[in-house]
PDB file of all heavy atoms in Angstrom:
ATOM      1  N   THR A 124      91.005  58.911 129.934  1.00  0.00           N
ATOM      2  CA  THR A 124      89.515  58.738 129.310  1.00  0.00           C
ATOM      3  C   THR A 124      89.577  57.916 128.192  1.00  0.00           C
ATOM      4  O   THR A 124      88.744  56.961 127.982  1.00  0.00           O
ATOM      5  CB  THR A 124      88.919  60.137 129.152  1.00  0.00           C
ATOM      6  OG1 THR A 124      88.771  60.848 130.483  1.00  0.00           O
ATOM      7  CG2 THR A 124      87.439  59.923 128.494  1.00  0.00           C
ATOM      8  N   THR A 125      90.479  58.239 127.182  1.00  0.00           N
ATOM      9  CA  THR A 125      90.547  57.511 125.907  1.00  0.00           C
ATOM     10  C   THR A 125      90.974  56.030 126.188  1.00  0.00           C
ATOM     11  O   THR A 125      90.423  55.175 125.581  1.00  0.00           O
ATOM     12  CB  THR A 125      91.520  58.139 125.071  1.00  0.00           C
ATOM     13  OG1 THR A 125      91.116  59.538 124.723  1.00  0.00           O
ATOM     14  CG2 THR A 125      91.672  57.545 123.707  1.00  0.00           C
ATOM     15  N   ALA A 126      91.934  55.800 127.082  1.00  0.00           N
ATOM     16  CA  ALA A 126      92.473  54.597 127.394  1.00  0.00           C
ATOM     17  C   ALA A 126      91.372  53.607 127.978  1.00  0.00           C
ATOM     18  O   ALA A 126      91.218  52.481 127.570  1.00  0.00           O
ATOM     19  CB  ALA A 126      93.672  54.656 128.317  1.00  0.00           C
ATOM     20  N   VAL A 127      90.697  54.150 128.888  1.00  0.00           N
ATOM     21  CA  VAL A 127      89.547  53.369 129.539  1.00  0.00           C
ATOM     22  C   VAL A 127      88.462  53.151 128.637  1.00  0.00           C
ATOM     23  O   VAL A 127      87.877  52.032 128.579  1.00  0.00           O
ATOM     24  CB  VAL A 127      89.099  54.066 130.809  1.00  0.00           C
ATOM     25  CG1 VAL A 127      87.904  53.258 131.351  1.00  0.00           C
ATOM     26  CG2 VAL A 127      90.123  54.138 131.867  1.00  0.00           C
ATOM     27  N   THR A 128      88.143  54.090 127.766  1.00  0.00           N
ATOM     28  CA  THR A 128      87.003  53.925 126.761  1.00  0.00           C
ATOM     29  C   THR A 128      87.380  52.813 125.790  1.00  0.00           C
ATOM     30  O   THR A 128      86.618  51.926 125.479  1.00  0.00           O
ATOM     31  CB  THR A 128      86.733  55.240 125.928  1.00  0.00           C
ATOM     32  OG1 THR A 128      86.392  56.284 126.921  1.00  0.00           O
ATOM     33  CG2 THR A 128      85.676  55.043 124.959  1.00  0.00           C
ATOM     34  N   PHE A 129      88.646  52.864 125.344  1.00  0.00           N
ATOM     35  CA  PHE A 129      89.131  51.773 124.400  1.00  0.00           C
ATOM     36  C   PHE A 129      89.065  50.467 125.062  1.00  0.00           C
ATOM     37  O   PHE A 129      88.728  49.396 124.498  1.00  0.00           O
ATOM     38  CB  PHE A 129      90.635  52.166 124.028  1.00  0.00           C
ATOM     39  CG  PHE A 129      91.255  51.152 123.103  1.00  0.00           C
ATOM     40  CD1 PHE A 129      90.625  50.713 121.815  1.00  0.00           C
ATOM     41  CD2 PHE A 129      92.477  50.514 123.402  1.00  0.00           C
ATOM     42  CE1 PHE A 129      91.250  49.881 121.098  1.00  0.00           C
ATOM     43  CE2 PHE A 129      93.104  49.606 122.612  1.00  0.00           C
ATOM     44  CZ  PHE A 129      92.464  49.296 121.447  1.00  0.00           C
ATOM     45  N   TYR A 130      89.553  50.348 126.388  1.00  0.00           N
ATOM     46  CA  TYR A 130      89.563  49.140 127.223  1.00  0.00           C
ATOM     47  C   TYR A 130      88.056  48.478 127.220  1.00  0.00           C
ATOM     48  O   TYR A 130      87.831  47.398 127.041  1.00  0.00           O
ATOM     49  CB  TYR A 130      90.115  49.395 128.569  1.00  0.00           C
ATOM     50  CG  TYR A 130      90.368  48.301 129.398  1.00  0.00           C
ATOM     51  CD1 TYR A 130      91.444  47.401 129.178  1.00  0.00           C
ATOM     52  CD2 TYR A 130      89.556  48.007 130.528  1.00  0.00           C
ATOM     53  CE1 TYR A 130      91.686  46.361 129.949  1.00  0.00           C
ATOM     54  CE2 TYR A 130      89.710  46.964 131.297  1.00  0.00           C
ATOM     55  CZ  TYR A 130      90.863  46.021 131.125  1.00  0.00           C
ATOM     56  OH  TYR A 130      91.048  44.976 131.919  1.00  0.00           O
ATOM     57  N   CYS A 131      87.146  49.444 127.639  1.00  0.00           N
ATOM     58  CA  CYS A 131      85.776  48.973 127.820  1.00  0.00           C
ATOM     59  C   CYS A 131      85.133  48.574 126.490  1.00  0.00           C
ATOM     60  O   CYS A 131      84.415  47.520 126.315  1.00  0.00           O
ATOM     61  CB  CYS A 131      84.879  50.040 128.357  1.00  0.00           C
ATOM     62  SG  CYS A 131      85.415  50.474 130.163  1.00  0.00           S
ATOM     63  N   ALA A 132      85.429  49.319 125.370  1.00  0.00           N
ATOM     64  CA  ALA A 132      84.927  48.972 124.106  1.00  0.00           C
ATOM     65  C   ALA A 132      85.416  47.595 123.575  1.00  0.00           C
ATOM     66  O   ALA A 132      84.594  46.956 122.846  1.00  0.00           O
ATOM     67  CB  ALA A 132      85.488  50.023 123.092  1.00  0.00           C
ATOM     68  N   THR A 133      86.604  47.166 123.986  1.00  0.00           N
ATOM     69  CA  THR A 133      87.050  45.871 123.730  1.00  0.00           C
ATOM     70  C   THR A 133      86.128  44.783 124.252  1.00  0.00           C
ATOM     71  O   THR A 133      85.824  43.737 123.592  1.00  0.00           O
ATOM     72  CB  THR A 133      88.474  45.575 124.383  1.00  0.00           C
ATOM     73  OG1 THR A 133      89.458  46.598 123.780  1.00  0.00           O
ATOM     74  CG2 THR A 133      88.917  44.173 124.031  1.00  0.00           C
ATOM     75  N   PHE A 134      85.580  45.017 125.412  1.00  0.00           N
ATOM     76  CA  PHE A 134      84.606  44.049 126.103  1.00  0.00           C
ATOM     77  C   PHE A 134      83.246  44.096 125.408  1.00  0.00           C
ATOM     78  O   PHE A 134      82.550  43.080 125.580  1.00  0.00           O
ATOM     79  CB  PHE A 134      84.611  44.152 127.546  1.00  0.00           C
ATOM     80  CG  PHE A 134      85.899  44.138 128.230  1.00  0.00           C
ATOM     81  CD1 PHE A 134      86.322  45.236 129.140  1.00  0.00           C
ATOM     82  CD2 PHE A 134      86.760  43.114 127.893  1.00  0.00           C
ATOM     83  CE1 PHE A 134      87.584  45.023 129.721  1.00  0.00           C
ATOM     84  CE2 PHE A 134      88.014  42.989 128.410  1.00  0.00           C
ATOM     85  CZ  PHE A 134      88.471  43.927 129.454  1.00  0.00           C
ATOM     86  N   VAL A 135      82.913  45.179 124.806  1.00  0.00           N
ATOM     87  CA  VAL A 135      81.729  45.221 124.080  1.00  0.00           C
ATOM     88  C   VAL A 135      81.819  44.212 122.919  1.00  0.00           C
ATOM     89  O   VAL A 135      80.832  43.492 122.618  1.00  0.00           O
ATOM     90  CB  VAL A 135      81.346  46.683 123.446  1.00  0.00           C
ATOM     91  CG1 VAL A 135      80.133  46.618 122.505  1.00  0.00           C
ATOM     92  CG2 VAL A 135      81.177  47.580 124.615  1.00  0.00           C
ATOM     93  N   VAL A 136      83.000  44.233 122.257  1.00  0.00           N
ATOM     94  CA  VAL A 136      83.173  43.334 121.110  1.00  0.00           C
ATOM     95  C   VAL A 136      83.140  41.830 121.625  1.00  0.00           C
ATOM     96  O   VAL A 136      82.581  40.941 121.034  1.00  0.00           O
ATOM     97  CB  VAL A 136      84.491  43.681 120.440  1.00  0.00           C
ATOM     98  CG1 VAL A 136      84.835  42.541 119.361  1.00  0.00           C
ATOM     99  CG2 VAL A 136      84.464  45.058 119.772  1.00  0.00           C
ATOM    100  N   GLY A 137      83.927  41.665 122.775  1.00  0.00           N
ATOM    101  CA  GLY A 137      83.873  40.334 123.404  1.00  0.00           C
ATOM    102  C   GLY A 137      82.488  39.806 123.758  1.00  0.00           C
ATOM    103  O   GLY A 137      82.199  38.690 123.519  1.00  0.00           O
TER     104      GLY A 137
END
Side-chain angles (χ1 to χ4, degrees):
T124 298
T125 302
V127 175
T128 301
F129 179 56
Y130 188 75
C131 293
T133 300
F134 302 135
V135 174
V136 176

